[in-house]
Amino acid sequence: MSLLLRRSVLRMLCSVLAVVPFLSACSLDIPVENELTDPKAISSVQTAYEALASAYSSYPKVELELSLLSDELVPTHRASQSPQMAQLYAYTDYALQSLASDLWSGYYETIKDANAVLVRLPDLRSRLSSAEQLQLDYLAGEAKTLKALSYLQLLQLFATPYDDAKHTGGIILKDRVEREELPRSTKAETVQAIERLLKEALTAFDTTRPPYGSAPGFVNAATARALLARLYLYTGDWAKAEEVTRTLVPTTLSTSMIPTTPLAWTQGTSAVALFSSSVPVTYYNSIYAQAKSATNATYQLPQRSYLASTDLRHRSYALDSTLQVDATTTRSLQIIGKYAAFLFAGGLPSYNCVVRTTEPIFLRAEALARSGDETAARDLLNSYLRLVGADEVASTVTGSALINAIIAEKAREFAGEGLRFFDLKRLGLPIEHYTPNEEHVSLTLPAGSYKRTLPLPASERSNKNLGAQNPGWPALTH
């Protein structure tokens, strides 16, 4: 994370906190390079929030990369204009190793920044008023949620599926800022650590209120509960997933949950996002560098994910386009419209949805179906499909067919948002990639392919306690 970007995020956070009386004099006098190493840097709730901004800003934004690894994008004839994306789509070892290095360092940077705040809170707490201690508790909940989210992402990326009993290695659990040569914890131990962090965060969230009101861009109780549901589905604990989603899905669904205009994707509001991460203005420019309009898109949606014009989501989830294949041939297609439509119109989104308000609908529907309450699962899914104007699931759809319908509709809802890759890995579904415009299958990765688990990065070779490399990848040499 560049110094300039960290400064930008800190100023953004300070502008939000300026509405809070006791934080109205938000200062950036602490040099960014010192705020994590100087024990005196965090001396108040104000400076603690400034430091926590580093954790928010360092959280990786990799939805595009994860979408390329899943099956929710198909190349057009223009895909060769973006060689880096093409290498990732082709699952080349070099591209995966490079991505692994970036994601490992990125998520652990967030963890380090969260730890830098958490380790200093006990001493700070003793010097604060009762009101400030409550605000500090809420801040600790945010730091723990960001840390848990980073752990969960790392676990899904760098560990084999949870039900793989042969390979038990999880990730490294870190509670200190300083570099340590730690061994990998097991997958079960990692899950326990994530669950503990999220439950501790919920204890803080449920007993106090944030000092900045309903401003976007921050994790909260709903974020923590949604992440718990993700975790329980990952481990196959359907009962806990069902329980934790009960309060996340409103009795009556509303169209306010659905971004129905391109502008809605840019605001990070609580009606749309349970957690939206701020991004630099160059973020979307880099994603769509080769596509200044829909007609120049390098990747499109697969036809199974196309949205009908009568579907409410069609207004902002997808963009219709016509691709000029050659001098005499054109092809109609849809590309992901999230953020893109606003960008093509000359806007610059400042937020990226990490956890959306519609996700608990699909988390809960799957948990209900797998727990045996198929009627409730189908009714919930159909209530959402009716809301958006999509075809409902017939009452005769049961068993694995119902679960498949839930997963398929989830893929359509969250195309381009980075969730599908984790579902494919969790469920052991094959990943199929195509030649341009879905003409032929170019790659099939079965459930057992080693490439579905990223390699431990070369940067960890000096860690003598790390243990064996992930199966299928070249061994780490010290």
Side-chain angles (χ1 to χ4, degrees):
M1 181 65 60
S2 69
L3 179 63
L4 179 61
L5 179 53
R6 286 197 179 211
R7 286 287 188 191
S8 174
V9 173
L10 285 172
R11 288 191 174 89
M12 179 276 292
L13 183 62
C14 285
S15 67
V16 172
L17 298 181
V19 301
V20 186
F22 82 96
L23 291 177
S24 59
C26 196
S27 169
L28 294 176
D29 293 338
I30 302 170
V32 174
E33 64 272 17
N34 292 336
E35 66 184 16
L36 298 181
T37 58
D38 183 359
K40 298 179 181 179
I42 301 178
S43 58
S44 64
V45 177
Q46 170 188 322
T47 52
Y49 265 105
E50 291 179 16
L52 186 61
S54 291
Y56 276 108
S57 65
S58 59
Y59 182 78
K61 287 78 176 175
V62 291
E63 288 76 12
L64 176 66
E65 289 84 350
L66 295 180
S67 295
L68 286 168
L69 292 180
S70 72
D71 60 359
E72 57 190 354
L73 291 176
V74 175
T76 70
H77 287 294
R78 297 182 181 274
S80 59
Q81 296 175 357
S82 181
Q84 289 183 324
M85 294 171 67
Q87 287 187 11
L88 201 56
Y89 190 78
Y91 268 82
T92 65
D93 283 9
Y94 173 78
L96 293 174
Q97 289 168 333
S98 177
L99 178 65
S101 179
D102 291 343
L103 296 188
W104 183 276
S105 61
Y107 287 119
Y108 276 113
E109 181 74 11
T110 301
I111 293 165
K112 181 193 75 174
D113 292 346
N115 283 340
V117 176
L118 290 170
V119 298
R120 291 182 174 87
L121 294 190
D123 177 65
L124 174 60
R125 182 181 176 84
S126 65
R127 294 181 273 121
L128 299 178
S129 67
S130 298
E132 289 174 324
Q133 286 179 3
L134 289 176
Q135 291 154 356
L136 204 66
D137 290 343
Y138 198 96
L139 180 148
E142 291 183 61
K144 289 176 181 180
T145 303
L146 286 172
K147 185 176 177 180
L149 172 58
S150 298
Y151 276 159
L152 182 56
Q153 294 289 98
L154 285 164
L155 183 63
Q156 294 175 105
L157 290 164
F158 290 93
T160 60
Y162 191 71
D163 58 3
D164 177 9
K166 182 179 179 181
H167 303 99
T168 61
I171 59 171
I172 298 175
L173 300 176
K174 296 186 177 183
D175 292 318
R176 299 178 59 183
V177 179
E178 299 81 9
R179 179 175 175 81
E180 301 174 277
E181 292 192 351
L182 300 171
R184 295 171 75 177
S185 297
T186 65
K187 287 181 282 193
E189 290 168 340
T190 306
V191 166
Q192 290 171 2
I194 296 170
E195 183 180 33
R196 182 179 65 253
L197 285 167
L198 291 173
K199 286 186 173 182
E200 289 175 355
L202 282 171
T203 298
F205 291 145
D206 290 342
T207 55
T208 185
R209 298 174 63 86
Y212 42 75
S214 60
F218 300 91
V219 295
N220 52 36
T223 312
R225 287 190 171 87
L227 294 178
L228 269 176
R230 284 188 189 180
L231 179 70
Y232 292 143
L233 286 182
Y234 167 78
T235 62
D237 196 332
W238 321 128
K240 285 186 177 180
E242 186 277 325
E243 180 182 6
V244 79
T245 55
R246 289 176 189 172
T247 60
L248 290 176
V249 180
T251 304
T252 303
L253 303 182
S254 168
T255 55
S256 65
M257 305 168 67
I258 309 164
T260 54
T261 66
L263 183 62
W265 289 103
T266 73
Q267 298 171 331
T269 57
S270 58
V272 170
L274 299 180
F275 173 43
S276 51
S277 180
S278 62
V279 295
V281 294
T282 57
Y283 175 70
Y284 291 102
N285 278 338
S286 64
I287 289 180
Y288 295 103
Q290 304 296 335
K292 296 304 181 184
S293 69
T295 59
N296 293 320
T298 54
Y299 286 84
Q300 66 179 77
L301 290 165
Q303 293 187 31
R304 67 176 181 277
S305 294
Y306 281 13
L307 293 168
S309 59
T310 53
D311 193 314
L312 186 63
R313 297 169 294 179
H314 184 269
R315 300 178 187 177
S316 71
Y317 283 51
L319 281 176
D320 296 318
S321 182
T322 302
L323 181 69
Q324 191 72 39
V325 179
D326 53 42
T328 59
T329 307
T330 59
R331 187 184 300 274
S332 297
L333 53 84
Q334 280 188 6
I335 69 168
I336 295 174
K338 302 163 183 174
Y339 311 104
F342 189 66
L343 185 73
F344 294 158
L348 290 173
S350 58
Y351 286 99
N352 182 61
C353 293
V354 179
V355 186
R356 277 208 290 126
T357 52
T358 55
E359 185 182 350
I361 297 171
F362 297 89
L363 297 173
R364 180 164 179 75
E366 183 182 350
L368 285 168
R370 293 188 183 278
S371 298
D373 196 346
E374 294 186 346
T375 299
R378 189 168 45 249
D379 288 347
L380 176 58
L381 179 62
N382 281 339
S383 66
Y384 182 70
L385 296 178
R386 282 195 302 273
L387 183 71
V388 300
D391 293 336
E392 296 181 34
V393 176
S395 59
T396 54
V397 177
T398 60
S400 59
L402 175 59
I403 294 173
N404 291 340
I406 295 169
I407 299 301
E409 193 56 46
K410 182 180 178 183
R412 186 175 293 109
E413 171 75 17
F414 298 101
E417 298 183 55
L419 298 181
R420 174 70 171 170
F421 175 73
F422 295 136
D423 281 342
L424 291 171
K425 183 175 178 178
R426 170 173 67 91
L427 300 171
L429 298 174
I431 299 175
E432 286 189 341
H433 283 184
Y434 292 84
T435 57
N437 303 305
E438 296 184 88
E439 292 173 354
H440 304 286
V441 174
S442 62
L443 171 73
T444 299
L445 286 180
S449 173
Y450 74 93
K451 293 192 174 188
R452 294 166 68 123
T453 299
L454 293 181
L456 301 177
S459 62
E460 291 298 316
R461 286 175 180 160
S462 62
N463 182 358
K464 298 179 176 58
N465 298 317
L466 185 61
Q469 174 63 278
N470 283 331
W473 291 100
L476 289 166
T477 56
H478 300 296

